Every structure is written in C-alpha cells, then in structure tokens.
Amino acid sequence: MNEPRPLKPLKEDWSRALAIVAHPDDMEFGAAAAVARWTDQGKWVGYVMVTSGEAGIDGMHPDECRVVREKEQIDSAAIVGVDTVDFLGFPDGTLEYGLDLRRAIALAVRRHRPEIVITGNFHDTWGSGNLNQADHIAVGRAVLDGVRDAGNRWIFSEQLVDGLEPWGGVRQVWTSGSPLAKHGADTTATFDRGVESLKAHRAYIDGLGWDHFDEREFLEGMGRATGTRLGVPFAAAFEVISLAWGGEDDD
Ligand SMILES: [Zn+2]
C-alpha cells in the first residue's frame, strides 16, 4: 500500500466561481461541501447544468424526469449557498464534444465572468479504475476549450451583442474527482451541508435502486480519505489546470 499522496490547499483569493457539469447531482457526489465553504466565505458560486439529467431515472419518462431533477438541483444548490442554476438543455446521455457545446459554455462564462471554473472528472476512468461516463468526458473537454474561447472576441463573436463582452478572466479550471488531483479544500465545517445537498436528489437516488445507499457514509468514506491527504478530517480534492502561462504557479 502506497502512502497517500499529500494535497496542497487550493487558493482562495478569488470572488467568483462557476461550476459547469454534465448532470444534476454531479456536484453533490463530492464537491458540494467545498462550495458551501466558499459561499460561507462570501464568494459567489453559480452552477451550470449542461443537461437536466432527464435520462437518469429508469422508471420515469424524460419529460417528467427533467422537471423533477431540475427542481432537485435547485433545492440542492440552495443548501450550499448557490442561488443561480442554469440549465443548458443539451441531451442527457448523448452529449458530444464539439462546437455546439463549446459555444454554450463560452456564453455561460461570458455572462457570469468567473475567475475559477469548476468541472467534473473528464479522464477515462476514476481513481478506482472504474470507467467514467461519456457525458462527463465530453463536458470536461469542452469546458477547458470553452473557457479559452470565452476570452477571444473573434470566436463565437455573434454572442457579443447587447453589451456582452469577451471574458478572459478565468485563471484556473478545477476538476473535482480527478485521479490526478494535487489540491484540496477543507470541508470539515461544511460537510453536513454537503450530505444534505446530496440527499436533495431524492428521486434520482431512489431511482438508482442501490440497496442501502447511505449518503453520509458514501461521502464520509471519500471525504475522510481525501482529508487525510490534506491533513484535516474531511476534504474535497481537485485537479488544477491553469489557463495562464507563467502568471500562476501551482501552489
Ligand atoms: Zn454525471
């Protein structure tokens, strides 16, 4: 058994972050307690859901499911201090990396003007070796590119009307759940709200049909292992990808 690799604390010298993820629930399986930490510090965090997770419940038609899951996500976000949740309306389960996705992400970044963009793991696997999901991979790749597109006035320039400007202010993309994470946020004080935010996805979790799934136990297992790497009781881990050459160091 290898020693757990230590994590460095994330920088917290920013005021606006935008989380862009594929599905309702993606933030709540690990990152939401960190969001609560940051909103408690007075920072603004907004959520963008690329899909509404409408294909996520086997026994519920997508037309009905979309409404249920959007409501659950809005409630879940409010628990961690997030009151802006945008739904981009892309098709759940069949996302493709491409210009349509980059264009929509660039628009969200231009509108919300974050310094930090948070997304989910987009590597082929999780640290456990389990296969990642296709939508996560497509969104993560498109986030990296869409964030850069947002700063270039000659890319998706049709968006730059009614006062909307390019936004090149994103310093870093933080990837939650990445097997390459080297940074972490202490979530000890906000851990319980992370649990509550996951519980808010009631219909989704029930629909998974996992017997005896316990939100707290699940998040504790992950949070404690990550906390050990950061030297605190509970933490969330992120891979940091810098957008600026030379301007930002990694620690
Ligand atoms: Zn997902």
Side-chain angles (χ1 to χ4, degrees):
M1 186 81 185
N2 295 330
E3 282 291 301
R5 292 161 297 141
L7 297 171
K8 291 183 278 193
L10 286 163
K11 287 184 176 173
E12 294 182 328
D13 60 342
W14 48 273
S15 59
R16 294 178 67 80
L18 190 64
I20 306 172
V21 294
H23 311 117
D25 80 72
D26 285 357
M27 288 299 289
E28 287 70 39
F29 276 97
V35 171
R37 169 188 174 87
W38 296 320
T39 57
D40 281 1
Q41 292 171 349
K43 304 182 193 309
W44 181 89
V45 181
Y47 283 2
V48 173
M49 301 290 130
V50 173
T51 80
S52 295
E54 69 275 9
I57 302 180
D58 187 57
M60 193 182 286
H61 189 278
D63 292 345
E64 182 188 353
C65 189
R66 175 192 313 279
V67 177
V68 169
R69 299 210 64 198
E70 288 186 359
K71 166 88 168 62
E72 287 187 342
Q73 183 61 58
I74 290 165
D75 293 346
S76 169
I79 292 166
V80 295
V82 172
D83 58 14
T84 300
V85 185
D86 295 346
F87 297 92
L88 301 185
F90 280 76
D92 181 21
T94 54
L95 286 182
E96 289 182 306
Y97 171 87
L99 290 179
D100 287 346
L101 199 47
R102 278 171 55 181
R103 182 181 291 112
I105 288 166
L107 181 60
V109 170
R110 285 168 170 173
R111 282 185 174 149
H112 292 296
R113 303 168 77 84
E115 300 150 82
I116 301 295
V117 168
I118 299 164
T119 191
N121 176 30
F122 55 84
H123 299 291
D124 290 344
T125 58
W126 303 94
S128 56
N130 287 69
L131 183 66
N132 200 351
Q133 197 263 359
D135 288 352
H136 299 159
I137 297 169
V139 167
R141 294 298 323 175
V143 163
L144 294 181
D145 296 329
V147 159
R148 177 160 283 166
D149 299 335
N152 185 331
R153 76 171 58 257
W154 307 117
I155 295 178
F156 308 134
S157 50
E158 73 283 359
Q159 295 174 353
L160 302 177
V161 293
D162 299 329
L164 194 68
E165 292 288 330
W167 176 251
V170 178
R171 291 150 53 186
Q172 296 181 331
V173 174
W174 293 356
T175 308
S176 163
S178 167
L180 305 183
K182 293 180 186 164
H183 291 77
D186 181 350
T187 56
T188 309
T190 52
F191 187 80
D192 288 348
R193 278 154 66 208
V195 173
E196 292 308 309
S197 76
L198 180 54
K199 284 183 176 175
H201 293 278
R202 191 72 271 150
Y204 175 68
I205 290 167
D206 288 349
L208 289 172
W210 295 342
D211 286 340
H212 313 301
F213 177 69
D214 183 306
E215 293 84 355
R216 176 172 295 276
E217 204 171 280
F218 176 86
L219 291 173
E220 272 188 7
M222 211 161 49
R224 201 185 303 277
T226 307
T228 301
R229 296 173 61 191
L230 191 64
V232 297
F234 292 107
F238 295 84
E239 178 185 355
V240 172
I241 298 166
S242 286
L243 273 293
W245 286 95
E248 293 277 343
D249 61 14
D250 193 37
D251 48 33

